[in-house]
Amino acid sequence: MGYISLRNPKTDIKEFLNVLSKINQHTKEKNKDTFTYEEVDQITVLDGTITSKGNFGTKAISASNDKNKSKDSIKMQLKSLSEIFRVFGWIIKIGNSHTFKITEYGKEILDEYDKYPQSNHYLDDLIIPFLLTNYSHPQIDTNIDFNFFPYLTIIKIINELNYITKWEIIHFINTNIKDSEKQIINKIIKARSEEKYYSNYVDSELSKADISPTTADNYNKIPMALFISFGLLEKKSLKSLGITNLKELIIEGKKAQENTKVLVLTEKSRQYLKVLKDINLLTLVS
C-alpha cells in the first residue's frame, strides 16, 4: 500500500476559499451552475492567484504550456485544487468530463467567508468535515476499496500516544491504512525503542511506493497545515511535556533530545474527539 496523497499547490485554507469564491462569482456572472478547468484557468491565472515558474498572468500561461499535460504546471495545480475541493465536499464532478459544480455545502462556507474574509470564525465549520474525510471517496479516483478516515485516525492515535512527529504520521499512519489503530500504535512504539527499526521501516515503505522522502512530505503538507490552522495540533518540546527520561527514547531514528519537537493535541481537538464519540462516530470509523 502506498502513501495517501493530497497534492499541495497551496496550503493556506484562506487561499483555497479565495479561489472557490472567485469561481462562484464567475458562475454567477455567467448565470450558470457549472464550470470547467479552462474557466478556472482564466480566473486564477490572469489575476495571479496561480503562477507558473515564477510568472504571473499571460506569462504564466506561456510558461506553463507543455505538450505533455503531466508537466503543464498550471493544469496540474488546477487538478490538485479540484481534488482538494472535492475531498472537502465543496465541489462535485459532473459526468466524466472536467466539469464541476459548487455544492450547497460549498456555498454555505462561501457565504460565511465572503461576509467575513478577515475573520477565522468560519474555520470551525470545516473541522468535522475535515476530520471525517473518507478514503475511498466517491469524487476521487483511488485504489482503495474500503473506508479509511486518515485525519480522525491521526488525532485518535495521538490521543493514545500523547505526542507524535510529522514523519511518524507520514510513514506509520498514511501507509498503514489497512492496519488497526492498535497495530499502528505498536509500530510507532517499536520505532521509539529499537534503534534500527525506524530507518529500516521507512526505507522499505518508500521503496514500495517508489517515491522520495520529499514527495512523501509533499503529500502531507496540506493536512498538516490544516491541523494547525484549525487549532487541532500544536508543537511542543519533549521537555515542555515533562518527558525527561530520554535514555532509551528514539525519535525518527535518532536519540531523543529535550528540545526535540513533537505534535500534541490541543484542548480543542479533545473536545472534538468527545463530540464524535458522543454521537458514536468514533466507533463507526474504528
Side-chain angles (χ1 to χ4, degrees):
M1 184 64 66
Y3 288 70
I4 288 181
S5 166
L6 197 54
R7 297 180 182 88
N8 62 314
K10 296 177 180 291
T11 56
D12 186 337
I13 189 73
K14 288 188 176 182
E15 289 191 57
F16 295 154
L17 289 168
N18 184 40
V19 172
L20 190 65
S21 179
K22 289 177 179 178
I23 293 170
N24 189 45
Q25 184 62 35
H26 171 79
T27 58
K28 286 180 179 179
E29 290 172 356
K30 298 296 182 181
N31 195 29
K32 61 179 189 173
D33 292 330
T34 62
F35 60 93
T36 64
Y37 273 145
E38 288 71 23
E39 289 173 287
V40 180
D41 189 326
Q42 295 298 312
I43 297 166
T44 58
V45 175
L46 292 180
D47 72 358
T49 303
I50 286 180
T51 64
S52 177
K53 302 173 185 176
N55 293 287
F56 294 81
T58 54
K59 289 184 178 180
I61 296 174
S62 299
S64 173
N65 286 336
D66 197 302
K67 291 181 180 179
N68 180 349
K69 293 301 179 185
S70 67
K71 295 182 179 180
D72 185 330
S73 63
I74 288 177
K75 290 294 187 294
M76 293 307 294
Q77 288 181 74
L78 294 178
K79 182 178 179 181
S80 297
L81 280 173
S82 78
E83 184 173 305
I84 293 163
F85 291 176
R86 281 178 282 156
V87 165
F88 291 168
W90 296 348
I91 68 172
I92 56 172
K93 185 186 287 188
I94 304 298
N96 295 319
S97 63
H98 290 161
T99 301
F100 307 92
K101 180 179 181 179
I102 298 176
T103 64
E104 289 304 311
Y105 171 63
K107 290 178 181 179
E108 286 178 14
I109 296 299
L110 280 178
D111 282 344
E112 289 296 308
Y113 174 73
D114 288 338
K115 286 178 186 175
Y116 312 102
Q118 302 306 316
S119 170
N120 288 328
H121 78 281
Y122 59 85
L123 292 178
D124 286 347
D125 296 333
L126 303 174
I127 292 177
I128 287 183
F130 168 69
L131 291 177
L132 295 182
T133 298
N134 178 18
Y135 292 87
S136 61
H137 193 287
Q139 283 285 319
I140 301 295
D141 296 327
T142 69
N143 295 321
I144 301 173
D145 57 0
F146 58 92
N147 289 336
F148 180 63
F149 297 76
Y151 312 131
L152 181 56
T153 298
I154 287 169
I155 64 170
K156 288 173 70 180
I157 287 176
I158 300 174
N159 192 49
E160 294 296 323
L161 288 171
N162 296 323
Y163 66 88
I164 204 165
T165 71
K166 177 186 77 171
W167 288 104
E168 286 173 340
I169 290 173
I170 291 171
H171 296 306
F172 290 99
I173 300 180
N174 287 356
T175 62
N176 288 288
I177 59 179
K178 286 189 175 181
D179 285 357
S180 68
E181 287 163 18
K182 185 175 180 180
Q183 288 173 312
I184 295 172
I185 288 169
N186 287 340
K187 287 179 180 179
I188 295 173
I189 290 173
K190 193 171 184 179
R192 292 178 182 178
S193 60
E194 296 183 16
E195 186 175 354
K196 297 293 184 182
Y197 183 84
Y198 177 85
S199 58
N200 290 339
Y201 182 89
V202 170
D203 288 346
S204 173
E205 292 299 318
L206 290 172
S207 177
K208 284 189 288 187
D210 193 25
I211 60 173
S212 69
T214 300
T215 300
D217 185 24
N218 285 338
Y219 287 169
N220 201 51
K221 282 185 176 179
I222 289 175
M224 293 312 301
L226 294 179
F227 272 120
I228 301 299
S229 294
F230 292 149
L232 299 175
L233 297 181
E234 59 183 341
K235 291 181 182 179
K236 289 195 173 183
S237 68
L238 291 176
K239 183 179 181 180
S240 71
L241 296 177
I243 301 172
T244 55
N245 184 10
L246 305 177
K247 187 175 180 181
E248 305 296 331
L249 182 59
I250 300 167
I251 300 292
E252 297 178 353
K254 300 175 183 177
K255 183 174 173 54
Q257 305 294 323
E258 287 187 341
N259 62 352
T260 297
K261 297 294 184 182
V262 294
L263 296 165
V264 300
L265 297 184
T266 61
E267 183 56 35
K268 189 176 189 178
S269 354
R270 298 186 192 282
Q271 290 172 359
Y272 275 97
L273 275 175
K274 185 178 185 304
V275 168
L276 294 173
K277 184 177 181 180
D278 287 346
I279 58 176
N280 294 322
L281 275 173
L282 290 190
T283 303
L284 175 66
V285 301
S286 292

